[in-house]
Amino acid sequence: ITGGCGSIGSEIIIQLLKIGLNKLIIYDNNELGMFNIINKIKTNYRNLFSEIKFILGDVRDDKKMNNIFKNTKIDIVYHVAAYKHVPMLEDNILEGIKINIVGTKNIADTALKFNIEKFIFVSTDKAVNPTNIMGCTKRISELYIDMLNKHKKTKFITTRFGNVLGSNGSVIPTFINRINDSLDLKVTHKDITRYFMTIPEAAQLVIKASDIGSYSDILLFDMGKPVKIIDLAKKLISIYSTYKISINIIGLRPGEKLYEELLCKSELCIPTSDKNIMKSKHIENYLNESFIETYKKIINLEEIDNVLYIKELFKIIVPEYSYS
């Protein structure tokens, strides 16, 4: 599990331990997060602790990844590690490319090299018709791992879902912290909406997706109805505050959408054996020579002199990408 110390990665670990599966490799570059997950597992699952490996490392370190796969029998990879904050990646495009695109490529290529049975890529609804760097980097990686399915060795499966309640840096903890500090809440637009699900729900569905998914599947989770962020802010104020807290409308941030979607313009939705999981079906094929040529240019970038040039490269690969 890459990104095993994050909100989703750590919950996937807990869900796997609950069913008695303890032959796990937890991979993350977050030292404090790794310390915390080690202590949590020692406390709650001591009897399963002995065969778990905890490895500090960067997803861009392909040599290290190669050694891990070479020296360990791995059946399934859950690739969760990513940069996910939209405004931050608008200002740090190269880092988004390095982690979300190059990091994914390194791990996916290694999984294919060692004939891993299944590779589960945790994507995001922000990859759908993206308007920001974060979503577009995830969409590019969706397309790349789909291309690897042509080898018919490893089953590369993508899972796509929206915001997760209570995850690190997400809106609810941010709002609660501001309420506790007696600060006004900031909402970017009065009509902005988002899909939400709990961390355990998301992790359970990712694990289910690894059971039912096959080659080239993009699996979408039933997120229920979208929630207006301003209504969420009002509800939290009523729960956590006994005094007046205002809500300030500050305007959409760079790359931010009013609403999120689960299907790209080039996709159709079909049911699966699980009522909470749907499957996306491509109606267009973007995986051509132009994709490969442009993809190579992107992963070989060492610096950014022209942001518009990078965005134009992104749009060649992801035609539905729109940017300002």
Side-chain angles (χ1 to χ4, degrees):
I1 301 108
T2 71
C5 299
S7 304
I8 297 297
S10 60
E11 184 62 28
I12 289 173
I13 292 164
I14 297 304
Q15 297 293 336
L16 293 173
L17 291 173
K18 282 181 178 178
I19 61 175
L21 200 162
N22 69 319
K23 293 185 177 179
L24 306 176
I25 298 173
I26 299 171
Y27 190 84
D28 205 299
N29 67 349
N30 183 339
E31 183 185 24
L32 178 59
M34 189 70 78
F35 175 81
N36 290 335
I37 193 71
I38 288 171
N39 285 338
K40 184 173 184 178
I41 294 173
K42 272 185 178 179
T43 301
N44 299 299
Y45 301 94
R46 179 172 289 277
N47 60 319
L48 300 176
F49 186 80
S50 61
E51 293 197 60
I52 302 174
K53 295 183 179 180
F54 302 90
I55 301 176
L56 283 172
D58 193 311
V59 290
R60 294 170 293 182
D61 191 339
D62 54 344
K63 290 182 179 178
K64 185 166 191 170
M65 198 60 58
N66 189 82
N67 287 334
I68 292 170
F69 280 67
K70 182 179 179 180
N71 297 317
T72 313
K73 175 67 174 74
I74 298 173
D75 299 304
I76 299 176
V77 173
Y78 292 97
H79 179 45
V80 190
Y83 282 144
K84 64 179 183 178
H85 292 285
V86 169
M88 200 173 294
L89 287 195
E90 291 299 302
D91 295 328
N92 294 275
I93 299 177
L94 194 57
E95 288 305 306
I97 292 170
K98 288 177 181 177
I99 298 299
N100 293 0
I101 298 179
V102 177
T104 299
K105 179 183 187 301
N106 286 344
I107 295 170
D109 288 350
T110 308
L112 182 67
K113 176 181 176 181
F114 288 93
N115 297 317
I116 303 306
E117 180 184 344
K118 288 188 177 182
F119 183 101
I120 316 302
F121 176 50
V122 175
S123 189
T124 169
D125 59 0
K126 292 176 177 62
V128 178
N129 305 322
T131 58
N132 52 66
I133 295 298
M134 188 282 247
C136 201
T137 57
K138 297 292 273 188
R139 178 59 179 159
I140 290 169
S141 286
E142 286 185 1
L143 293 169
Y144 179 76
I145 66 171
D146 182 35
M147 184 180 71
L148 296 183
N149 277 298
K150 68 183 180 181
H151 298 283
K152 297 295 180 183
K153 292 181 179 179
T154 298
K155 292 178 181 177
F156 288 94
I157 302 158
T158 291
T159 63
R160 190 190 284 163
F161 52 94
N163 295 276
V164 180
L165 291 168
S167 63
N168 296 332
S170 62
V171 64
I172 290 181
T174 301
F175 279 171
I176 292 173
N177 287 339
R178 290 187 66 85
I179 292 169
N180 290 338
D181 291 338
S182 303
L183 298 173
D184 292 343
L185 301 190
K186 298 178 180 179
V187 175
T188 57
H189 194 284
K190 65 182 180 64
D191 295 321
I192 194 167
T193 64
R194 289 294 181 264
Y195 289 100
F196 289 99
M197 69 188 338
T198 67
I199 295 173
E201 284 175 329
Q204 286 167 13
L205 288 174
V206 170
I207 294 169
K208 279 187 180 180
S210 68
D211 287 333
I212 69 174
S214 191
Y215 298 104
S216 295
D217 280 351
I218 296 180
L219 299 177
L220 321 173
F221 298 165
D222 182 1
M223 301 288 295
K225 294 182 179 180
V227 176
K228 289 187 75 169
I229 301 300
I230 196 165
D231 291 342
L232 179 63
K234 291 175 181 176
K235 184 69 173 178
L236 290 173
I237 290 171
S238 70
I239 293 171
Y240 290 97
S241 178
T242 57
Y243 46 87
K244 181 175 175 57
I245 286 184
S246 298
I247 298 174
N248 298 327
I249 306 299
I250 61 172
L252 291 174
R253 297 170 296 180
E256 190 171 38
K257 287 182 177 181
L258 266 182
Y259 58 91
E260 301 292 358
E261 306 160 271
L262 289 176
L263 282 172
C264 293
K265 295 172 184 176
S266 60
E267 296 173 334
L268 295 173
C269 188
I270 57 178
T272 70
S273 57
D274 190 300
K275 66 178 182 179
N276 295 313
I277 301 177
M278 299 161 288
K279 185 188 297 185
S280 155
K281 182 179 180 181
H282 290 288
I283 55 177
E284 293 180 32
N285 181 17
Y286 297 152
L287 304 179
N288 49 35
E289 289 185 8
S290 176
F291 171 89
I292 296 169
E293 180 183 339
T294 308
Y295 184 84
K296 287 179 178 177
K297 290 180 181 178
I298 291 171
I299 64 172
N300 288 319
L301 286 168
E302 294 183 356
E303 58 184 49
I304 293 180
D305 296 321
N306 187 335
V307 170
L308 183 59
Y309 169 71
I310 305 301
K311 292 182 176 181
E312 288 172 349
L313 288 179
F314 279 11
K315 192 166 180 64
I316 292 172
I317 291 183
V318 185
E320 64 268 29
Y321 172 45
S322 58
Y323 56 89
S324 55

